Amino acid sequence: MFEGKDLRFASAGVGGSVALADAMVIPLRQTAVRSWIDRIGELDLVPDLGEDVGSIRWFRGLGTLTALSICALALLPDFGPVFGAQPALPTEAEFEEARGQMIMPIAFGSDSGKRMAATDTVVALAGSPERPRIELTATLGRGDSFSRVLQRAGVGGSEASLVTSMVSSATPLNGIEPGTPIDIVLGKRTTKNVARPLESVAFRARFDLNLEVSRSGNSLQLIRKPIAVDDTPLRIRGVIGDSLYRSARAAGAPASAIQDYLKVISGRTSLSTLRSSDEFDIIVDYKRAETGEIKVGNLLYAGVDREGRSAIQMLKWTVGETSQWFEASGVGESRGALSRPVNGAITSGFGMRRHPILGYSRMHSGLDFKASYGTPIYAVTDGTVAFAGRKGGYGNFVQLNHGGGLASGYGHMSRFAVTAGTRVRRGQIIGYVGSTGLSTGPHLHYELYRGGRAVNPMSVKFTQRAQLSGNDLARFKGRLNSLKSVKAGAALAPLRPTERAQEKPKREIDRLTQNMDGRPPRG
């Protein structure tokens, strides 16, 4: 029995050991049940599409990308306008109400403000009152008439003619500068069908004269009010330095006077020869009125004081009808090439050529200028008309004698502007371009003669000299000494007050000013 029990125990022990192992493994294999959230969290919805291309995992990622792209496109915002509440259009009554309160520009009629129709309480006036007097200012325009200016201002025709006659007796009407203001005062008229009577007309007739026409009783009287004028020339001196122009401008010389000065000096000597230590001397016509106005005129004297060399002294002097610059010795000289007789290009030069009409070669003793029919022809320099008429193949021909054996000819003219014996000046019109004579078309044939023989006009320069003598030279010397005796800056000295300037002022502000500084008011 013992053995049998042992065997059973042993077998039982073996079996027990196996059951114990199984009993221990089974609980370990049993796990907790997972929820669907955990399972979704374990899904790899966004895998790297660069890995496992073509696998289920890769297609799952492609589906996720496609779904997200569709959602993004579906949620794309609209960039169209956002419409707000639109106000209602105003009615016609509301529009007229707003229009009546706004200000319209002049271009649209400038109608503004509300208007109301007249009621029964409004009574029309039998007649409107007139102003007792009218004060206005008229301006004399260029090319205008003094009488027309008065009539346009409301002055009657008879009174305008009377005033014009009175003014012309005191000063030439053509001497009144354009732009002159004219103060006019018109009185009260008896009826509306007549012009207002003239009470006064006042204006500045000249730089040194004021004129006033005023009514005294039933007649008009002319009152002359002379203006004291100091005509001392303005003399400006200084050292040339680095630049003659800048030095003269710094000294106070007008720009126009400096330009004229440079032209005069350059005609006497080269500007490059002037040294920085030389002194310039400029005298300009200069006038000052007691009322404060200043009038700067033309250049009168141009000089240069040069160290160790003779000084340059040039004075502008008029001989006959021509103004010219003369040296201190009385010798005048103007140099330079002859001016062009017409504005056009040279089509044929001086020398042998085949004649376009005659068909053989012969001497072409001048220049042909291209110009259209009727173009003005100018004198190349001062001279006298020696011939004006028909001359063979030249057609209508003009010849000018310039003195010193020099003459010029102009052919093929359409018509003349001068006659034989007429004195002409440089740049004066002597005729017009045509095609008379042996000519194939409108042009100017221009010739230049020296001693009666034709010469090439392109090789000749003209020099005009004049010599003063006798009384002319004495007057010239006196004028030169008078200008050189003027001190530099003397024209800028204060003016002495005249009796007119010491008149009792009319305005209170002028009285106060005179009492404060002790000087009479300017005006």
Side-chain angles (χ1 to χ4, degrees):
M1 275 178 84
F2 178 75
E3 291 178 356
K5 292 180 180 179
D6 292 337
L7 291 173
R8 295 186 185 98
F9 180 75
S11 58
V14 174
S17 61
V18 173
L20 179 60
D22 293 336
M24 294 178 63
V25 172
I26 290 173
L28 293 175
R29 291 178 179 175
Q30 293 178 354
T31 58
V33 179
R34 293 177 298 174
S35 64
W36 62 274
I37 298 177
D38 295 335
R39 293 179 180 178
I40 293 175
E42 293 177 358
L43 292 176
D44 189 4
L45 298 177
V46 286
D48 188 0
L49 297 180
E51 299 178 356
D52 299 335
V53 178
S55 61
I56 297 177
R57 179 172 173 270
W58 184 85
F59 279 106
R60 185 170 60 246
L62 181 61
T64 303
L65 177 61
T66 303
L68 292 176
S69 300
I70 293 174
C71 292
L73 294 175
L75 298 177
L76 186 68
D78 185 11
F79 293 97
V82 178
F83 296 96
Q86 297 292 331
L89 294 177
T91 61
E92 184 177 358
E94 293 175 345
F95 179 80
E96 292 296 332
E97 178 73 14
R99 183 177 181 276
Q101 298 178 2
M102 66 182 176
I103 299 176
M104 295 287 290
I106 297 179
F108 296 102
S110 66
D111 52 342
S112 60
K114 294 184 178 180
R115 291 174 173 80
M116 182 180 294
T119 62
D120 296 337
T121 58
V122 178
V123 180
L125 293 176
S128 59
E130 287 192 349
R131 298 170 58 182
R133 65 200 307 260
I134 296 178
E135 300 179 3
L136 51 90
T137 300
T139 302
L140 180 64
R142 186 176 301 274
D144 204 351
S145 170
F146 186 81
S147 178
R148 289 198 299 266
V149 172
L150 296 180
Q151 294 183 26
R152 286 198 302 268
V155 181
S158 59
E159 289 188 339
S161 301
L162 178 59
V163 172
T164 302
S165 177
M166 298 172 67
V167 171
S168 62
S169 64
T171 183
L173 295 178
N174 55 7
I176 304 176
E177 296 183 358
T180 300
I182 303 174
D183 297 328
I184 303 174
V185 179
L186 302 177
K188 185 178 180 180
R189 57 186 175 182
T190 55
T191 61
K192 295 183 178 180
N193 298 328
V194 298
R196 286 179 175 269
L198 178 65
E199 290 192 359
S200 66
V201 173
F203 65 100
R204 188 162 192 162
R206 296 195 307 264
F207 190 72
D208 59 346
L209 178 64
N210 276 334
L211 291 181
E212 181 178 351
V213 178
S214 61
R215 182 173 296 277
S216 177
N218 295 327
S219 61
L220 296 174
Q221 295 182 352
L222 177 66
I223 302 175
R224 295 177 174 86
K225 296 181 179 180
I227 302 174
V229 175
D230 179 24
D231 56 356
T232 303
L234 177 62
R235 188 175 187 181
I236 303 171
R237 294 177 58 91
V239 180
I240 293 178
D242 296 335
S243 172
L244 175 57
Y245 182 86
R246 288 197 294 266
S247 299
R249 285 292 290 163
S256 58
I258 299 176
Q259 293 176 359
D260 295 338
Y261 174 83
L262 294 176
K263 292 179 182 178
V264 174
I265 298 301
S266 62
R268 183 65 177 80
T269 184
S270 177
L271 297 178
S272 60
T273 61
L274 300 180
R275 302 173 183 174
S276 59
S277 58
D278 295 341
E279 296 183 357
F280 61 86
D281 193 355
I282 302 175
I283 300 180
V284 182
D285 188 18
Y286 193 78
K287 294 181 180 180
R288 294 182 299 163
E290 64 175 349
T291 52
E293 293 82 6
I294 296 175
K295 189 175 183 179
V296 181
N298 299 323
L299 179 68
L300 301 177
Y301 173 83
V304 178
D305 295 335
R306 301 184 291 183
E307 295 182 356
R309 294 179 293 174
S310 60
I312 298 176
Q313 300 179 7
M314 302 295 293
L315 176 65
K316 194 171 187 179
W317 192 253
T318 302
V319 179
E321 298 180 355
T322 304
S323 296
Q324 187 179 346
W325 287 93
F326 286 82
E327 299 177 1
S329 60
V331 176
E333 183 179 40
S334 60
R335 299 177 180 176
L338 297 175
S339 61
R340 296 177 69 90
V342 70
N343 295 326
I346 298 177
T347 57
S348 182
F350 182 87
M352 295 295 297
R353 70 160 189 176
R354 183 179 179 86
H355 197 278
I357 296 179
L358 301 178
Y360 60 87
S361 297
R362 72 172 187 173
M363 183 65 182
H364 185 242
S365 57
L367 302 177
D368 286 348
F369 288 88
K370 180 181 179 181
S372 57
Y373 191 90
T375 302
I377 303 173
Y378 307 97
V380 294
T381 190
D382 298 349
T384 304
V385 180
F387 177 83
R390 191 82 177 184
K391 186 178 180 181
Y394 292 102
N396 293 333
F397 184 80
V398 170
Q399 180 175 333
L400 303 179
N401 289 341
H402 307 292
L406 198 66
S408 59
Y410 313 81
H412 306 312
M413 288 185 177
S414 61
R415 57 191 178 97
F416 305 106
V418 292
T419 57
T422 306
R423 179 72 180 176
V424 297
R425 302 184 62 181
R426 174 175 178 154
Q428 180 178 338
I429 297 177
I430 60 175
Y432 301 89
V433 172
S435 185
T436 56
L438 293 178
S439 173
T440 58
H443 71 283
L444 171 66
H445 176 77
Y446 166 66
E447 294 184 353
L448 192 65
Y449 312 99
R450 174 178 287 171
R453 298 184 59 182
V455 295
N456 188 356
M458 302 297 293
S459 63
V460 176
K461 290 188 176 181
F462 183 75
T463 302
Q464 183 181 10
R465 298 180 65 89
Q467 177 70 49
L468 298 177
S469 61
N471 295 333
D472 291 338
L473 181 60
R475 290 194 300 270
F476 174 82
K477 292 287 187 180
R479 176 60 173 170
L480 179 62
N481 295 331
S482 175
L483 289 178
K484 293 189 65 177
S485 64
V486 177
K487 295 182 179 179
L492 304 178
L495 292 175
R496 295 181 180 180
T498 61
E499 294 181 358
R500 179 182 177 277
Q502 295 177 355
E503 294 179 356
K504 185 177 180 181
K506 298 180 181 180
R507 300 183 304 174
E508 184 65 24
I509 185 63
D510 294 334
R511 298 191 189 97
L512 295 176
T513 305
Q514 183 176 5
N515 294 334
M516 292 176 60
D517 56 15
R519 295 181 299 176
R522 301 174 66 181

